[in-house]
């Protein structure tokens, strides 16, 4: 099963989602192919934001080796699931989606997660609390994704 998380810059939310799902898939001993990308091109090739990486590390998750890339039309043929972090990301992905692309595209928190959010708020211009909230939301939703779609 191939899963792609998408946000705007691919340096905060979607690489965090990638790290969280990788961590949980290892705990559950399930084999998933996980990647992330951004709708924008500003940060191509950059490592995750140090604030995201530090917050993830404090919860025992590594974001090492990740490098930002931009989402492409080909991703709609490569991945089974493409999960947008917020509604603007979702709208941009919908505009890019080829008619015969096989990926299931959705707003991640509208389908998974039990906290009262339907978007992962962009933490880039805010304080540390925003990065903790990103982790809280993604840990909750990724666990539910595994329970609903991955585990037998
Ligand atoms: P992300 O956060 O979409 O979660 O990676 C952002 C990163 C960079 C910018 C905005 C959001 N930016 O404007 O450069």
């Amino acid at each position: 099963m191939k899963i792609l998380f998408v946000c705007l810059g691919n340096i905060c939310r979607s690489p965090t989602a990638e790290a969280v799902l990788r961590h949980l898939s290892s705990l559950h001993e399930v084999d998933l192919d996980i990647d992330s990308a951004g709708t924008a091109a500003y940060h191509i090739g950059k490592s995750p934001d140090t604030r995201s990486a530090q917050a993830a590390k404090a919860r025992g998750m590594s974001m090492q080796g990740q490098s930002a890339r931009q989402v492409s039309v080909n991703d709609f043929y490569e991945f089974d699931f493409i999960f947008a972090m917020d509604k603007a990301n979702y709208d941009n992905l919908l505009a890019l989606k080829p008619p015969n692309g096989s990926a299931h595209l959705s707003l991640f928190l509208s389908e998974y997660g039990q906290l009262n959010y339907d978007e992962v708020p962009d933490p880039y211009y805010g304080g540390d609390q925003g990065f903790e909230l990103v982790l809280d939301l993604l840990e909750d939703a990724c666990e539910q994704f595994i329970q609903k779609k991955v585990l037998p």
Side-chain angles (χ1 to χ4, degrees):
M1 197 182 280
K2 295 189 71 170
I3 299 122
L4 180 69
F5 292 105
V6 178
C7 61
L8 176 63
N10 192 212
I11 56 170
C12 299
R13 292 166 292 173
S14 62
T16 300
E18 182 185 340
V20 167
L21 187 59
R22 192 165 285 132
H23 178 72
L24 291 176
S25 66
S26 155
L27 289 180
H28 285 287
E29 298 181 336
V30 292
D31 188 22
L32 299 177
D33 197 332
I34 309 160
D35 195 8
S36 65
T39 57
Y42 333 122
H43 298 288
I44 291 172
K46 287 197 196 153
S47 300
D49 189 299
T50 51
R51 297 165 296 174
S52 293
Q54 296 233 325
K57 191 176 174 196
R59 297 194 192 196
M61 290 175 272
S62 170
M63 293 176 73
Q64 260 186 349
Q66 289 179 251
S67 155
R69 73 169 177 92
Q70 191 171 24
V71 69
S72 74
V73 170
N74 193 50
D75 288 323
F76 288 90
Y77 302 101
E78 284 289 314
F79 288 87
D80 300 302
F81 293 93
I82 298 182
F83 291 131
M85 297 289 100
D86 69 28
K87 288 172 188 167
N89 309 148
Y90 177 79
D91 288 345
N92 285 324
L93 288 164
L94 202 54
L96 189 68
K97 185 178 171 37
N100 59 347
S102 49
H104 169 84
L105 169 65
S106 66
L107 183 61
F108 191 41
L109 297 189
S110 73
E111 291 198 298
Y112 304 99
Q114 294 166 314
L115 304 175
N116 217 9
Y117 284 79
D118 60 359
E119 301 183 281
V120 182
D122 184 348
Y124 189 68
Y125 291 106
D128 289 349
Q129 265 187 325
F131 291 86
E132 296 302 325
L133 177 61
V134 167
L135 279 163
D136 291 343
L137 294 171
L138 291 171
E139 284 183 333
D140 174 49
C142 286
E143 178 62 31
Q144 209 184 34
F145 172 72
I146 290 181
Q147 297 294 337
K148 277 190 176 176
K149 293 288 178 191
V150 183
L151 291 176

